[in-house]
Amino acid sequence: MSKLVPKPSLLHLSVEEENLAAIPFAVLERRVGKRVGKLQIEGTKLLPDGTEVLVSWQVQGNTELGLPTEQDLDIFVALGALTFQNNFAKTITFTGREIAKILGIQSVHGKFYQRLKIAMDRFIPLRFRGIAATDRHEEVKWLNVFQEASFTLDRESGRCVGSVTWTDKVIQSMNSGFFRVLDAGRYMELDGITGKHLYRFLAVAFEKTDMMVIDARKLAIEHLGIINPPKYLSRLMQTLEPAFDQLIGIEVLGSYHIVEAERWEIALRRHRNYVPERKMLLSPDPADTRELNQVYCIKRLEKASFPEKLAQRYAEGAQTKAEFYQLERAARLLEALLESGVVIHVALSLIRNALDAGVATSEGLRALDICAIALDTCRQKKAAGQNMKNPAGLLIKLIKDPEALLGEESIDSARKAFRQQEQTIFAQQELAEQRALVMEYEQYRDETARLLFDELTENTRANLRKEKTELFRQQTRYEKLDAKARAQEIDDLICHDLARREVPPFEKWYIRRRAQQAVLPFGVPRNIAN
C-alpha cells in the first residue's frame, strides 16, 4: 500500500529567518565521526536590497554538546511552526505535548523531555556569522539565534513547559519579511538529515523554478551539511539518491537525473502536485485559515483560564471569522472579569453561558455584550473618581439585571457601537486592493527609513548631508528655497536612498503582512474596546 502524502496545511507551516535557513547547522556524529562544535561552509547571504553575496558561513555551538543534531533540528522546525502560529512573537511558550504533536510523537515520557532539554542546551549557545570576501574577521560580529530559553517539568502535574526568545536581529529580520517557509508535516515524514536539509533547500528553490541544474558537490556542501563530500560522483549519489526518493514520495521532487557526470551536474524537477509553501501562504485556503484560527483560539481560551477540553470544543465549533472574533473576545472578557475581582468559577460561568448559547446566536452575542458593557461601566466610574468598595459585586449586579441598572436604550446604543467596531475590524481584512497595499507599504517604507536615519551617527549624517547639498546646489530650485526647506529636502533625499538600500522590498513586506492575516485575521487593534 502506498504511503499517504501529508495534506498541505497552513497549520503546519514553519518559518525560518532567511539567512539562518541557508545554513545546514545540524551535523550528525555518524557523518563526521566526532562531535562537532563549529562549522564553516561557503554559501550566499541575502542583503536588504535583495542582492546576494558570496560569504563564508561560520557556525559555533555548545563546546561540550556540539552542534544541533538531526533530532534537534526537528525541534527547531517545530519552534518555527509555533512562531508562525503565534504571529512571529519574539518569545514563544510551549508545552512538551505541543512539540510532540508537531513532531508526530504520540507518547510523551521522560526520554522525550530529556531530548528537549539537550536540544535547548545546544540551541542557546548556537551562533553564526557570514563573512564576505571584503570583510575583516575581527569586525564581523557573531549573532546568536536565541536570546534565552527555559525548560521546566512540573512533576506534580506531569506537564512540561518551556519558552524560547529569538534574538532581536533574527525576529526583526523575519518581521521585515526575510523568512523562509516549509511544511512541518511533510518535513517530519522524512527520515535522515540529508532528506530534511534537501527539503529545506528545495522549498525555496522551487518557488522560482520548476527545474534546476546544480553541481552535486555544491548541493552537498552548501545546502546539505555534507562537509567532506566523496571524491567520486557515484559515491555521493549513494548518499543523495535515498533523499531524492523520499522527496519524490512526499510529492516535492518529481524526478532527478545526472546531466553530465564529469562536471557533477544533476537536474532536479519539481513534482507536478507540489505547490511551494510561500505560494500557499499568499493564496491561503479558507479551510486552512480556519484550522489556524481554531488553534489560536484554543490557546487564547486556555490562557484566560478555560479548561483545555472545553476550549477545544468551543474553538472547533467555530467556522466564520465573526465566530472566531467573538471567541477571542470572550477570552478577553474573562480575563477582565478576573482582574476586576470576580471569582473564577463565577466569571467562567458567565462566559460559558454565552458560549453555550452560541456566539453566532443573538442570545449568546447579547450575553457577551452585557459583560462588555458592565466592564466598561465600571471603568468609567473608576475613571470618574467614584469610590467602588466592591467592583466585582457591582459587575455581577450589572450583568444579572442590566435593564434595571443601565436602561434598555443605553444597552442598545452600546451594542450598536460594538457591531460598528466589529464591522470596522472585518473591513480591514478586505483591504486587498493594490492601491491600498501600495499606500500602506509606502508608509511603512518611509517610517522605517526615518528610523534608520535617526539611528545614524552625527558624523555620518553630516557627511551625507554635505554630499546631498553639493548635488542639490546644481539644481535651479536650490536658491528658491529657504534654509529650513533646503534642510528638509536634503534629509528627505537621504531617507529615500536609505529606503532603497535598506528597507525590505514590497514582496518581502507583503509576505509578512499576509502571514499575519492568515494567523490572526480577526486581530483587534488595541484602541478598540471590549
Side-chain angles (χ1 to χ4, degrees):
M1 183 180 292
S2 61
K3 194 172 184 179
L4 293 176
V5 177
K7 176 183 177 294
S9 168
L10 288 177
L11 182 62
H12 300 148
L13 288 189
S14 175
V15 293
E16 295 180 354
E17 195 275 334
E18 250 183 20
N19 291 308
L20 180 61
I23 312 170
F25 53 76
V27 179
L28 291 181
E29 292 178 28
R30 68 172 181 265
R31 170 172 289 168
V32 298
K34 61 181 179 179
R35 180 173 289 126
V36 175
K38 59 183 178 180
L39 180 68
Q40 180 164 324
I41 56 176
E42 302 302 316
T44 59
K45 179 179 180 179
L46 189 69
L47 298 179
D49 63 3
T51 59
E52 286 187 340
V53 294
L54 294 175
V55 296
S56 174
W57 285 110
Q58 295 182 346
V59 187
Q60 288 187 355
N62 189 303
T63 54
E64 296 181 0
L65 298 176
L67 290 169
T69 65
E70 174 187 351
Q71 288 192 335
D72 299 337
L73 189 59
D74 290 352
I75 293 173
F76 185 80
V77 171
L79 292 173
L82 292 176
T83 300
F84 176 76
Q85 292 174 17
N86 286 275
N87 194 23
F88 294 72
K90 182 181 177 183
T91 298
I92 303 299
T93 58
F94 60 87
T95 65
R97 294 187 183 279
E98 281 181 308
I99 297 291
K101 184 178 180 180
I102 297 173
L103 297 180
I105 296 174
Q106 302 300 322
S107 59
V108 179
H109 45 68
K111 287 185 178 179
F112 175 73
Y113 293 143
Q114 184 65 21
R115 171 186 168 183
L116 270 180
K117 185 179 185 305
I118 292 176
M120 292 301 151
D121 289 342
R122 287 195 180 103
F123 284 142
I124 292 304
L126 186 66
R127 61 179 188 162
F128 68 99
R129 63 179 181 175
I131 303 175
T134 56
D135 291 332
R136 295 176 58 185
H137 284 54
E138 59 270 21
E139 293 179 351
V140 180
K141 294 182 179 179
W142 289 92
L143 176 63
N144 280 73
V145 178
F146 294 114
Q147 183 174 311
E148 59 181 332
S150 65
F151 180 84
T152 58
L153 174 62
D154 188 336
R155 300 196 178 275
E156 292 185 5
S157 65
R159 296 191 68 183
C160 156
V161 180
S163 71
V164 294
T165 299
W166 299 95
T167 50
D168 288 334
K169 287 191 176 180
V170 169
I171 200 65
Q172 286 170 6
S173 179
M174 287 197 287
N175 266 327
S176 294
F178 293 98
F179 62 88
R180 295 181 179 180
V181 188
L182 57 85
D183 187 334
R186 273 192 169 112
Y187 179 90
M188 298 304 169
E189 289 289 318
L190 298 170
D191 180 26
I193 194 69
T194 303
K196 290 176 176 177
H197 280 324
L198 179 63
Y199 173 44
R200 294 170 79 227
F201 168 64
L202 292 180
V204 177
F206 283 159
E207 290 175 5
K208 302 175 182 178
T209 179
D210 60 356
M211 171 79 75
M212 64 180 306
V213 178
I214 189 171
D215 187 311
R217 291 165 296 193
K218 179 180 179 181
L219 175 67
I221 296 171
E222 294 188 15
H223 305 293
L224 306 184
I226 301 177
I227 305 172
N228 300 306
K231 295 182 179 179
Y232 302 101
L233 175 61
S234 59
R235 178 64 187 86
L236 178 58
M237 290 301 292
Q238 291 178 17
T239 299
L240 298 182
E241 284 180 345
F244 291 156
D245 292 338
Q246 285 195 69
L247 269 291
I248 291 174
I250 63 170
E251 297 185 350
V252 171
L253 185 64
S255 62
Y256 61 92
H257 308 281
I258 297 176
V259 177
E260 190 171 339
E262 290 185 3
R263 297 173 60 180
W264 290 60
E265 286 186 344
I266 56 176
L268 306 175
R269 182 176 60 82
R270 185 174 66 195
H271 196 284
R272 63 179 179 276
N273 294 335
Y274 177 58
V275 178
E277 286 77 8
R278 183 178 288 260
K279 292 184 178 180
M280 185 172 69
L281 175 60
L282 288 171
S283 302
D285 176 8
D288 290 328
T289 303
R290 184 165 60 248
E291 193 176 16
L292 269 174
N293 291 338
Q294 287 172 347
V295 171
Y296 171 81
C297 281
I298 290 172
K299 293 181 179 180
R300 191 69 181 83
L301 290 169
E302 284 184 19
K303 184 180 178 182
S305 298
F306 270 89
E308 181 179 353
K309 291 184 178 179
L310 196 60
Q312 186 172 353
R313 177 163 67 85
Y314 289 138
E316 290 178 351
Q319 300 293 323
T320 66
K321 62 182 180 182
E323 290 173 329
F324 286 121
Y325 170 81
Q326 296 300 339
L327 281 181
E328 198 267 349
R329 182 188 183 209
R332 287 186 285 115
L333 290 171
L334 177 56
E335 289 175 342
L337 288 171
L338 295 176
E339 289 173 1
S340 299
V342 179
V343 293
I344 187 168
H345 70 276
V346 174
L348 265 174
S349 176
L350 292 171
I351 302 300
R352 281 191 59 181
N353 287 340
L355 299 186
D356 288 339
V359 292
T361 65
S362 58
E363 181 184 352
L365 191 57
R366 178 180 172 83
L368 289 179
D369 287 346
I370 294 300
C371 289
I373 292 169
L375 285 163
D376 193 45
T377 301
C378 286
R379 279 195 291 265
Q380 290 175 6
K381 288 181 178 293
K382 187 176 180 181
Q386 294 187 26
N387 184 20
M388 292 186 295
K389 295 181 179 180
N390 184 13
L394 176 60
L395 276 172
I396 300 303
K397 286 182 180 180
L398 290 169
I399 293 171
K400 293 293 185 183
D401 193 7
E403 290 84 358
L405 297 173
L406 297 172
E408 192 65 39
E409 185 177 344
S410 176
I411 293 173
D412 289 343
S413 176
R415 295 193 67 200
K416 286 180 182 178
F418 290 150
R419 299 294 85 78
Q420 290 174 356
Q421 290 171 351
E422 290 163 13
Q423 290 305 314
T424 299
I425 293 168
F426 297 150
Q428 292 174 355
Q429 298 172 224
E430 307 302 328
L431 294 179
E433 295 85 357
Q434 194 66 23
R435 180 175 179 276
L437 284 173
V438 170
M439 289 177 66
E440 187 177 344
Y441 169 70
E442 287 185 350
Q443 181 181 356
Y444 159 80
R445 191 172 184 263
D446 182 66
E447 290 174 352
T448 305
R450 299 287 172 184
L451 288 173
L452 292 171
F453 179 75
D454 292 340
E455 290 174 359
L456 296 175
T457 63
E458 288 295 336
N459 287 338
T460 303
R461 278 200 293 265
N463 290 334
L464 289 173
R465 282 169 175 154
K466 182 178 179 181
E467 178 184 328
K468 291 297 179 185
T469 300
E470 293 301 321
L471 292 173
F472 195 19
R473 285 181 189 276
Q474 300 172 16
Q475 300 182 23
T476 55
R477 22 190 321 268
Y478 178 82
E479 298 297 337
K480 298 178 182 179
L481 297 176
D482 58 35
K484 185 177 180 180
R486 288 175 188 168
Q488 182 61 54
E489 187 148 347
I490 288 168
D491 285 354
D492 289 344
L493 289 170
I494 296 172
C495 287
H496 178 75
D497 288 347
L498 286 172
R500 189 176 65 251
R501 292 196 314 267
E502 304 293 340
V503 178
F506 180 85
E507 181 186 3
K508 298 291 184 185
W509 169 84
Y510 181 67
I511 188 73
R512 176 65 184 93
R513 183 183 187 275
R514 196 67 192 86
Q516 184 178 17
Q517 288 179 331
V519 176
L520 190 57
F522 48 89
V524 185
R526 294 187 178 275
N527 60 342
I528 292 183
N530 291 319

